[in-house]
Amino acid sequence: MALIVQKYGGSSVADPDKIANVANRVLKGYMDGHRMVVVLSAMQGETDRLINLAREMGDPPDPRELDVILATGEQVTVSLFSMFLKAEGVHTTSLLGHQACIYTDKAYGRARIVGIDASRIKELLKKGRIVTVAGFQGVDEVGNITTLGRGGSDTTAVAVAAALKADLCEIYTDVEGVFTTDPRVCKQAQLLPKISYDEMLEMASLGAKVLEIRSVGFAKHYNVHLRVRSTFSEHPGTLVCPEDEEMEAIPVSGVAFSTQEARVSITGVPDRPGIAARFFEAVAQANIVVDLIIQNSSVDGRADITFTVPKGDLLRTLEIVQQVGKEVGTREILSDEHIAKVSIVGVGMRNNAGVASRMFAALSQAGINIMMISTSEIKISCVIEDKFTELAVRVLHDAFGLDQPRVGKG
Ligand code: ADP
Ligand code: ASP
Ligand code: MG
């Protein structure tokens, strides 16, 4: 008899029939004798609908009140789900974030879980109940409702699994697991029977939204036995687990992409100590996360700095950079929203030479110009024009032999 945490995403609970389908899946585990904790997302499209509704009251909406309205999306699904089970005569209890004692910091809209008191969930499980927890939400130290950021129900599930020391945490979604790349963009994408925590962290941070990045961080830190599976099939899906020798033999495991960033270039900045710090300190103070940065070598004592920020932060970044630019002196400040970042990820990169050159050659053969490059131990990212995103993903997928079916057990 195992303790299992299952999380179902928005498309899995998109309407009453789908909620009934999820309830029947959960019931099967329960009837097999397992203790079941279920974490649910809001119905597909509901969080977006609530954000748009809130914007009608003034844009941007007040962050505290936005979290109050966003938390209602998950409140609806946990209650519908529990109503269905109760009508079937099953003992179940739904819990909102604060009732499940999911404590967060006070960063509305992107709160971090700082602790979970799992005693109430444990008590209910002891009584033989199925416990349903609203994903994506928590409560700060003074009782304000907070939300964890988009895709945050994955994090709720993994954090609850860690707090309960669950035997298994299953993330159910609308694809059969983690693929070599987004199966909606590349038809040749192959299901990975397993992927290491570190590769999954990179894939998630580079744009693969199949798992939210913080959920993977939690899983790695607490060694959660994590599986990604489909709500609509019986396929065992993908195991997310510690690295092994088999993984190290493969130079590239996956291709990720993101079109969520914009590029800012500051030309003709004085090339002397402290100038880059002036710009980036000011941007950081506005809580804007800078991703890739390049600086070219100086000509006549002046250099160019180029970096990327989330598209939503571009206008604010330009204001800040223009202000600092006035103080230190620059030639021009330019920006470009039509960029994409394509990345290859693999723990095997550490021991395989020539991966970067293969990537650059594949992109150039497809006529794709590389604007920026960034590398880490297990990933290489290139910034390109966004109109080439899908072509770049397919070309890289092919260049690293990812079209071949993966054998091996997860
Ligand atoms: P949910 O609502 O269940 O949380 P998401 O939409 O957040 O689902 O995540 C699932 C989606 O992630 C898939 O439909 C797929 O398009 C996308 N995705 C992106 N990259 C990958 C990948 N490498 N493997 C699987 N799915 C991916
Ligand atoms: N409902 C939230 C969202 O759409 C959280 C989640 O689904 O994980 O982002
Ligand atoms: Mg998701």
Side-chain angles (χ1 to χ4, degrees):
M1 200 177 95
L3 171 50
I4 303 176
V5 177
Q6 295 186 338
K7 176 259 170 176
Y8 292 88
S11 50
S12 308
V13 291
D15 58 44
D17 283 346
K18 291 201 168 116
I19 293 178
N21 167 55
V22 166
N24 285 320
R25 288 193 84 113
V26 172
L27 213 44
K28 189 177 169 302
Y30 183 70
M31 291 309 197
D32 287 344
H34 302 305
R35 285 172 293 157
M36 305 295 292
V37 177
V38 185
V39 175
L40 297 182
S41 287
M43 288 177 173
Q44 191 168 35
E46 181 63 5
T47 306
D48 289 334
R49 189 186 74 83
L50 293 169
I51 291 172
N52 290 332
L53 191 60
R55 282 190 179 144
E56 289 190 29
M57 297 296 119
D59 201 4
D62 176 79
R64 180 185 185 279
E65 303 312 325
L66 183 60
D67 276 5
V68 174
I69 194 172
L70 290 188
T72 65
E74 274 69 13
Q75 179 162 352
V76 169
T77 42
V78 291
S79 102
L80 289 175
F81 176 85
S82 302
M83 283 172 193
F84 179 90
L85 282 181
K86 283 181 178 172
E88 298 283 303
V90 182
H91 296 298
T92 176
T93 303
S94 66
L95 297 176
L96 301 179
H98 68 93
Q99 295 170 315
C101 304
I102 298 175
Y103 300 115
T104 72
D105 63 16
K106 46 166 99 348
Y108 297 120
R110 54 189 168 82
R112 278 174 189 278
I113 297 178
V114 293
I116 297 180
D117 174 359
S119 51
R120 183 156 181 204
I121 300 178
K122 283 182 187 161
E123 227 169 82
L124 290 164
L125 287 171
K126 221 183 264 170
K127 289 185 189 155
R129 287 175 174 260
I130 293 175
V131 183
T132 312
V133 179
F136 175 60
Q137 55 180 265
V139 65
D140 74 7
E141 59 185 1
V142 292
N144 294 306
I145 292 173
T146 54
T147 66
L148 310 182
R150 300 308 302 266
S153 299
D154 295 341
T155 308
T156 306
V158 177
V160 166
L164 290 169
K165 298 195 172 58
D167 298 291
L168 175 61
C169 179
E170 295 178 310
I171 305 290
Y172 282 90
T173 184
D174 56 0
V175 289
E176 286 201 321
V178 181
F179 284 72
T180 45
T181 192
D182 188 339
R184 292 182 203 288
V185 166
C186 179
K187 292 280 163 286
Q188 282 76 34
Q190 301 293 323
L191 182 71
L192 294 165
K194 61 185 172 184
I195 184 167
S196 72
Y197 291 123
D198 287 338
E199 286 169 322
M200 194 62 238
L201 272 172
E202 289 284 10
M203 290 280 281
S205 78
L206 296 168
K209 70 168 185 166
V210 62
L211 280 179
E212 204 266 334
I213 180 164
R214 284 188 199 161
S215 70
V216 190
F218 261 106
K220 182 182 179 192
H221 189 258
Y222 294 101
N223 224 346
V224 175
H225 189 126
L226 181 64
R227 221 168 235 293
V228 182
R229 311 182 52 173
S230 166
T231 309
F232 308 104
S233 85
E234 293 304 319
H235 198 285
T238 304
L239 179 69
V240 188
C241 58
E243 195 174 314
D244 63 25
E245 279 174 14
E246 227 178 307
M247 294 169 181
E248 283 166 16
I250 303 167
V252 173
S253 301
V255 179
F257 60 92
S258 166
T259 50
Q260 301 303 313
E261 286 174 41
R263 186 167 65 125
V264 177
S265 295
I266 318 167
T267 68
V269 296
D271 191 15
R272 57 167 197 266
I275 295 294
R278 285 279 291 278
F279 281 106
F280 291 109
E281 264 163 22
V283 172
Q285 257 163 25
N287 247 333
I288 295 169
V289 179
V290 173
D291 184 17
L292 274 66
I293 304 175
I294 51 172
Q295 177 174 335
N296 69 349
S297 49
S298 100
V299 181
D300 302 333
R302 297 207 161 245
D304 301 340
I305 299 176
T306 302
F307 59 97
T308 62
V309 290
K311 268 187 187 156
D313 291 327
L314 177 61
L315 287 182
R316 181 92 191 90
T317 307
L318 288 175
E319 280 167 19
I320 294 167
V321 165
Q322 262 145 10
Q323 184 55 44
V324 179
K326 267 190 211 143
E327 292 158 22
V328 301
T330 60
R331 202 170 298 130
E332 246 183 332
I333 294 170
L334 306 164
S335 68
D336 182 1
E337 285 191 83
H338 297 289
I339 61 160
K341 184 171 65 176
V342 285
S343 311
I344 53 174
V345 174
V347 288
M349 244 176 239
R350 292 191 201 113
N351 323 318
N352 285 276
V355 176
S357 60
R358 243 159 97 189
M359 179 182 196
F360 305 153
L363 291 175
S364 80
Q365 273 155 25
I368 302 171
N369 186 40
I370 302 169
M371 303 174 187
M372 298 171 88
I373 298 167
S374 126
T375 63
S376 80
E377 209 188 6
I378 66 163
K379 74 116 204 273
I380 305 169
S381 298
C382 291
V383 172
I384 59 169
E385 256 186 279
D386 63 357
K387 67 179 182 194
F388 293 125
T389 313
E390 295 197 5
L391 175 64
V393 169
R394 285 198 292 269
V395 157
L396 294 174
H397 199 264
D398 185 45
F400 289 97
L402 299 178
D403 298 0
Q404 303 307 314
R406 287 306 164 99
V407 283
K409 273 174 72 95

